[in-house]
Amino acid sequence: MTQPLADTLKGRLIVSCQAPPGDPMRHTDTLVRMTLAARAGGAAAVRVNDPEVVAATVAAVDLPVIGLWKDGDSGVLITPTVRHALALVEAGATVVAADATARPRPDGSSFADLVEAVHEAGALVMADVSTVDEGREAAAQGADFVGTTLSGYVPGSPVQTAPDLALVADLAAATSVPVIAEGRIATPEQAAEALAAGAHSVVVGTAITAPTALTAAFVAGLTAG
């Protein structure tokens, strides 16, 4: 199943349709409408958080759904356990995105355990990593896709305001699985640069789907200085 989906996603945009806790957009129907808008704009797939939103999106949108489940307030938050991963498969996710950093998982499992469980349940896995070593290890453990999602958010990875294109290039050179560029991609030009650096696909979230954050950025720009 990896190759047909990889072919579908090659060179194309994945839209992350999420909202943080407390945000007015964090409502299942609103998020589903966001995925419909992404589809209308030409997205190849969507990335959504929480089994409820995954199930509602699968029912409404004829696009591959990359599902994740953010849970907790520190450490491994993105699909932290096998239980979380299988709930996303049950909800209909085509791909389960999960933290594949070296940090300990709250259920004591390994990333390889999660990959095995998801594959046995009939879905694919996207490894969210922060370094090339983590990406290489995730690929060795069976990840179907490797994403740069956590670069800059995990100790040991570079903190920057721009996309980590160096990590994109390094992962593309170091692994044989498709690399998905994600994180701080704010313009179409940056998305194209990510593809040129070796990304198979590009995920964009905030720049498309976060009106609260975008409004705050404009307000800050008007009041700076």
Side-chain angles (χ1 to χ4, degrees), residues 146-192:
V146 175
T148 60
T149 317
L150 292 173
S151 173
Y153 303 104
V154 175
S157 63
V159 177
Q160 53 190 300
T161 57
D164 193 345
L165 298 182
L167 179 57
V168 171
D170 289 345
L171 285 171
T175 70
S176 59
V177 302
V179 174
I180 298 180
E182 180 173 11
R184 301 178 299 278
I185 298 172
T187 67
E189 292 76 18
Q190 288 179 332

Short mmCIF file of all heavy atoms in Angstrom, two decimals, residues 146-192:
data_model
loop_
_atom_site.label_atom_id
_atom_site.label_comp_id
_atom_site.label_asym_id
_atom_site.label_seq_id
_atom_site.Cartn_x
_atom_site.Cartn_y
_atom_site.Cartn_z
N VAL A 146 8.86 9.50 6.47
CA VAL A 146 9.58 10.19 7.54
C VAL A 146 9.36 11.68 7.36
O VAL A 146 9.60 12.23 6.28
CB VAL A 146 11.08 9.86 7.52
CG1 VAL A 146 11.81 10.69 8.57
CG2 VAL A 146 11.31 8.37 7.78
N GLY A 147 8.90 12.35 8.43
CA GLY A 147 8.63 13.78 8.37
C GLY A 147 9.53 14.58 9.28
O GLY A 147 9.93 14.10 10.35
N THR A 148 9.80 15.81 8.89
CA THR A 148 10.67 16.70 9.68
C THR A 148 9.89 17.48 10.73
O THR A 148 10.38 18.47 11.27
CB THR A 148 11.38 17.70 8.75
OG1 THR A 148 10.40 18.48 8.04
CG2 THR A 148 12.25 16.97 7.73
N THR A 149 8.72 17.01 11.07
CA THR A 149 7.75 17.70 11.93
C THR A 149 8.34 18.25 13.22
O THR A 149 7.97 19.35 13.66
CB THR A 149 6.62 16.72 12.28
OG1 THR A 149 6.23 16.00 11.13
CG2 THR A 149 5.44 17.43 12.90
N LEU A 150 9.21 17.51 13.86
CA LEU A 150 9.65 17.87 15.21
C LEU A 150 10.98 18.62 15.25
O LEU A 150 11.47 18.93 16.35
CB LEU A 150 9.72 16.61 16.08
CG LEU A 150 8.35 15.99 16.37
CD1 LEU A 150 8.49 14.64 17.08
CD2 LEU A 150 7.50 16.93 17.20
N SER A 151 11.54 18.94 14.10
CA SER A 151 12.78 19.72 14.09
C SER A 151 12.54 21.08 14.73
O SER A 151 11.63 21.82 14.35
CB SER A 151 13.26 19.91 12.66
OG SER A 151 14.36 20.80 12.63
N GLY A 152 13.36 21.40 15.71
CA GLY A 152 13.23 22.67 16.42
C GLY A 152 12.36 22.60 17.65
O GLY A 152 12.29 23.57 18.41
N TYR A 153 11.73 21.46 17.87
CA TYR A 153 10.83 21.32 19.01
C TYR A 153 11.30 20.27 20.00
O TYR A 153 10.63 20.02 21.00
CB TYR A 153 9.42 20.97 18.52
CG TYR A 153 8.87 22.00 17.56
CD1 TYR A 153 8.83 21.75 16.21
CD2 TYR A 153 8.44 23.24 18.03
CE1 TYR A 153 8.35 22.70 15.31
CE2 TYR A 153 7.96 24.20 17.14
CZ TYR A 153 7.92 23.92 15.79
OH TYR A 153 7.46 24.87 14.91
N VAL A 154 12.45 19.66 19.74
CA VAL A 154 13.01 18.63 20.59
C VAL A 154 14.45 19.02 20.90
O VAL A 154 15.18 19.45 20.00
CB VAL A 154 12.97 17.25 19.89
CG1 VAL A 154 13.66 16.19 20.74
CG2 VAL A 154 11.54 16.84 19.59
N PRO A 155 14.87 18.91 22.17
CA PRO A 155 16.26 19.22 22.50
C PRO A 155 17.23 18.45 21.59
O PRO A 155 17.05 17.27 21.33
CB PRO A 155 16.39 18.76 23.96
CG PRO A 155 15.00 18.89 24.50
CD PRO A 155 14.09 18.51 23.37
N GLY A 156 18.21 19.17 21.07
CA GLY A 156 19.18 18.55 20.18
C GLY A 156 18.94 18.87 18.73
O GLY A 156 19.81 18.60 17.88
N SER A 157 17.78 19.44 18.41
CA SER A 157 17.52 19.86 17.03
C SER A 157 17.58 21.38 16.97
O SER A 157 17.31 22.06 17.96
CB SER A 157 16.16 19.35 16.55
OG SER A 157 15.11 19.89 17.32
N PRO A 158 17.94 21.94 15.82
CA PRO A 158 18.17 23.39 15.74
C PRO A 158 16.88 24.20 15.84
O PRO A 158 15.89 23.90 15.17
CB PRO A 158 18.81 23.57 14.36
CG PRO A 158 18.32 22.39 13.56
CD PRO A 158 18.22 21.26 14.55
N VAL A 159 16.88 25.21 16.69
CA VAL A 159 15.74 26.11 16.81
C VAL A 159 15.87 27.18 15.74
O VAL A 159 16.89 27.86 15.66
CB VAL A 159 15.68 26.74 18.21
CG1 VAL A 159 14.54 27.73 18.29
CG2 VAL A 159 15.54 25.66 19.27
N GLN A 160 14.87 27.30 14.89
CA GLN A 160 14.92 28.29 13.81
C GLN A 160 13.52 28.71 13.44
O GLN A 160 12.54 28.04 13.78
CB GLN A 160 15.66 27.72 12.60
CG GLN A 160 15.13 26.38 12.12
CD GLN A 160 16.03 25.72 11.08
OE1 GLN A 160 16.26 26.30 10.03
NE2 GLN A 160 16.55 24.56 11.39
N THR A 161 13.41 29.82 12.74
CA THR A 161 12.10 30.32 12.34
C THR A 161 11.71 29.82 10.95
O THR A 161 10.54 29.88 10.58
CB THR A 161 12.08 31.86 12.34
OG1 THR A 161 13.11 32.34 11.46
CG2 THR A 161 12.31 32.39 13.74
N ALA A 162 12.67 29.32 10.19
CA ALA A 162 12.42 28.86 8.82
C ALA A 162 12.34 27.34 8.78
O ALA A 162 12.71 26.65 9.75
CB ALA A 162 13.55 29.35 7.91
N PRO A 163 11.87 26.77 7.68
CA PRO A 163 11.85 25.31 7.55
C PRO A 163 13.27 24.75 7.64
O PRO A 163 14.23 25.39 7.19
CB PRO A 163 11.27 25.09 6.15
CG PRO A 163 10.57 26.35 5.80
CD PRO A 163 11.30 27.46 6.50
N ASP A 164 13.39 23.55 8.17
CA ASP A 164 14.70 22.91 8.30
C ASP A 164 15.01 22.16 6.99
O ASP A 164 14.90 20.94 6.91
CB ASP A 164 14.72 21.96 9.49
CG ASP A 164 16.12 21.50 9.86
OD1 ASP A 164 17.04 21.69 9.04
OD2 ASP A 164 16.29 20.95 10.96
N LEU A 165 15.41 22.92 5.98
CA LEU A 165 15.67 22.32 4.67
C LEU A 165 16.92 21.46 4.69
O LEU A 165 17.04 20.52 3.89
CB LEU A 165 15.78 23.41 3.61
CG LEU A 165 14.52 24.26 3.41
CD1 LEU A 165 14.74 25.27 2.29
CD2 LEU A 165 13.31 23.40 3.12
N ALA A 166 17.84 21.76 5.59
CA ALA A 166 19.03 20.92 5.71
C ALA A 166 18.65 19.51 6.17
O ALA A 166 19.17 18.51 5.65
CB ALA A 166 20.03 21.54 6.68
N LEU A 167 17.72 19.43 7.10
CA LEU A 167 17.26 18.12 7.56
C LEU A 167 16.51 17.40 6.44
O LEU A 167 16.68 16.18 6.27
CB LEU A 167 16.36 18.27 8.78
CG LEU A 167 15.78 16.97 9.35
CD1 LEU A 167 16.89 15.99 9.73
CD2 LEU A 167 14.88 17.26 10.56
N VAL A 168 15.72 18.12 5.68
CA VAL A 168 15.04 17.51 4.53
C VAL A 168 16.06 16.86 3.60
O VAL A 168 15.93 15.69 3.22
CB VAL A 168 14.21 18.55 3.76
CG1 VAL A 168 13.69 17.96 2.45
CG2 VAL A 168 13.03 19.04 4.60
N ALA A 169 17.09 17.61 3.25
CA ALA A 169 18.11 17.10 2.34
C ALA A 169 18.87 15.92 2.93
O ALA A 169 19.13 14.92 2.24
CB ALA A 169 19.08 18.22 1.97
N ASP A 170 19.22 16.02 4.21
CA ASP A 170 19.96 14.94 4.85
C ASP A 170 19.13 13.67 4.93
O ASP A 170 19.64 12.56 4.71
CB ASP A 170 20.40 15.37 6.25
CG ASP A 170 21.50 16.43 6.24
OD1 ASP A 170 22.11 16.63 5.17
OD2 ASP A 170 21.72 17.05 7.29
N LEU A 171 17.85 13.80 5.27
CA LEU A 171 16.99 12.62 5.34
C LEU A 171 16.80 11.99 3.96
O LEU A 171 16.80 10.75 3.82
CB LEU A 171 15.63 13.00 5.92
CG LEU A 171 15.58 13.24 7.42
CD1 LEU A 171 14.22 13.83 7.82
CD2 LEU A 171 15.83 11.94 8.19
N ALA A 172 16.63 12.83 2.94
CA ALA A 172 16.46 12.30 1.59
C ALA A 172 17.69 11.51 1.15
O ALA A 172 17.57 10.50 0.43
CB ALA A 172 16.18 13.43 0.62
N ALA A 173 18.87 11.95 1.59
CA ALA A 173 20.11 11.26 1.23
C ALA A 173 20.34 10.02 2.07
O ALA A 173 20.98 9.06 1.62
CB ALA A 173 21.29 12.21 1.38
N ALA A 174 19.80 10.02 3.30
CA ALA A 174 20.12 8.96 4.26
C ALA A 174 19.12 7.81 4.28
O ALA A 174 19.43 6.73 4.81
CB ALA A 174 20.24 9.55 5.67
N THR A 175 17.91 8.01 3.75
CA THR A 175 16.88 6.99 3.84
C THR A 175 16.29 6.71 2.45
O THR A 175 16.38 7.53 1.54
CB THR A 175 15.73 7.40 4.77
OG1 THR A 175 14.98 8.45 4.17
CG2 THR A 175 16.25 7.86 6.12
N SER A 176 15.67 5.55 2.33
CA SER A 176 15.03 5.20 1.06
C SER A 176 13.52 5.41 1.10
O SER A 176 12.85 5.19 0.10
CB SER A 176 15.33 3.72 0.73
OG SER A 176 14.83 2.87 1.76
N VAL A 177 12.99 5.84 2.25
CA VAL A 177 11.55 6.07 2.35
C VAL A 177 11.25 7.53 1.99
O VAL A 177 12.11 8.40 2.12
CB VAL A 177 11.01 5.74 3.76
CG1 VAL A 177 11.32 4.30 4.13
CG2 VAL A 177 11.58 6.69 4.80
N PRO A 178 10.03 7.83 1.55
CA PRO A 178 9.68 9.21 1.20
C PRO A 178 9.81 10.15 2.39
O PRO A 178 9.34 9.83 3.49
CB PRO A 178 8.22 9.09 0.73
CG PRO A 178 8.06 7.67 0.30
CD PRO A 178 8.92 6.88 1.24
N VAL A 179 10.41 11.29 2.16
CA VAL A 179 10.59 12.31 3.19
C VAL A 179 9.51 13.38 3.01
O VAL A 179 9.33 13.91 1.91
CB VAL A 179 11.98 12.94 3.10
CG1 VAL A 179 12.12 14.10 4.09
CG2 VAL A 179 13.06 11.88 3.35
N ILE A 180 8.81 13.68 4.09
CA ILE A 180 7.77 14.70 4.06
C ILE A 180 8.26 15.91 4.85
O ILE A 180 8.57 15.81 6.04
CB ILE A 180 6.46 14.16 4.66
CG1 ILE A 180 5.96 12.98 3.81
CG2 ILE A 180 5.41 15.26 4.71
CD1 ILE A 180 4.67 12.36 4.29
N ALA A 181 8.36 17.04 4.17
CA ALA A 181 8.80 18.27 4.82
C ALA A 181 7.63 18.87 5.59
O ALA A 181 6.55 19.07 5.04
CB ALA A 181 9.31 19.26 3.79
N GLU A 182 7.85 19.16 6.86
CA GLU A 182 6.81 19.77 7.69
C GLU A 182 7.46 20.63 8.75
O GLU A 182 8.48 20.28 9.32
CB GLU A 182 5.93 18.69 8.35
CG GLU A 182 4.83 19.27 9.21
CD GLU A 182 3.85 18.23 9.74
OE1 GLU A 182 4.13 17.03 9.60
OE2 GLU A 182 2.81 18.63 10.29
N GLY A 183 6.84 21.76 9.01
CA GLY A 183 7.33 22.63 10.07
C GLY A 183 7.78 23.98 9.57
O GLY A 183 8.75 24.09 8.80
N ARG A 184 7.02 25.02 9.92
CA ARG A 184 7.39 26.41 9.65
C ARG A 184 7.47 26.75 8.15
O ARG A 184 8.18 27.66 7.75
CB ARG A 184 8.71 26.77 10.35
CG ARG A 184 8.68 26.59 11.87
CD ARG A 184 10.02 26.90 12.51
NE ARG A 184 11.07 26.02 12.04
CZ ARG A 184 11.30 24.80 12.50
NH1 ARG A 184 10.55 24.30 13.48
NH2 ARG A 184 12.28 24.07 12.02
N ILE A 185 6.73 26.02 7.34
CA ILE A 185 6.67 26.35 5.91
C ILE A 185 5.57 27.38 5.74
O ILE A 185 4.38 27.08 5.86
CB ILE A 185 6.41 25.09 5.07
CG1 ILE A 185 7.58 24.11 5.24
CG2 ILE A 185 6.22 25.45 3.59
CD1 ILE A 185 7.35 22.76 4.61
N ALA A 186 5.96 28.62 5.46
CA ALA A 186 5.03 29.73 5.54
C ALA A 186 4.62 30.30 4.19
O ALA A 186 3.67 31.08 4.11
CB ALA A 186 5.65 30.86 6.38
N THR A 187 5.33 29.93 3.12
CA THR A 187 5.04 30.50 1.81
C THR A 187 5.09 29.43 0.73
O THR A 187 5.76 28.39 0.91
CB THR A 187 6.06 31.60 1.44
OG1 THR A 187 7.35 30.98 1.25
CG2 THR A 187 6.15 32.67 2.52
N PRO A 188 4.45 29.66 -0.41
CA PRO A 188 4.58 28.72 -1.54
C PRO A 188 6.03 28.56 -1.98
O PRO A 188 6.44 27.47 -2.39
CB PRO A 188 3.73 29.37 -2.63
CG PRO A 188 2.71 30.17 -1.90
CD PRO A 188 3.44 30.72 -0.70
N GLU A 189 6.80 29.63 -1.89
CA GLU A 189 8.21 29.55 -2.28
C GLU A 189 8.97 28.60 -1.37
O GLU A 189 9.81 27.81 -1.86
CB GLU A 189 8.84 30.95 -2.24
CG GLU A 189 8.32 31.91 -3.29
CD GLU A 189 6.94 32.47 -3.00
OE1 GLU A 189 6.49 32.40 -1.82
OE2 GLU A 189 6.30 32.99 -3.93
N GLN A 190 8.72 28.65 -0.08
CA GLN A 190 9.38 27.72 0.84
C GLN A 190 8.95 26.28 0.58
O GLN A 190 9.76 25.35 0.69
CB GLN A 190 9.09 28.11 2.29
CG GLN A 190 9.80 29.38 2.73
CD GLN A 190 9.46 29.75 4.17
OE1 GLN A 190 8.39 29.43 4.68
NE2 GLN A 190 10.37 30.46 4.83
N ALA A 191 7.69 26.08 0.23
CA ALA A 191 7.23 24.74 -0.10
C ALA A 191 7.98 24.20 -1.32
O ALA A 191 8.40 23.03 -1.35
CB ALA A 191 5.72 24.75 -0.36
N ALA A 192 8.15 25.03 -2.32
CA ALA A 192 8.89 24.61 -3.51
C ALA A 192 10.35 24.34 -3.18
O ALA A 192 10.96 23.40 -3.71
CB ALA A 192 8.79 25.70 -4.59
#
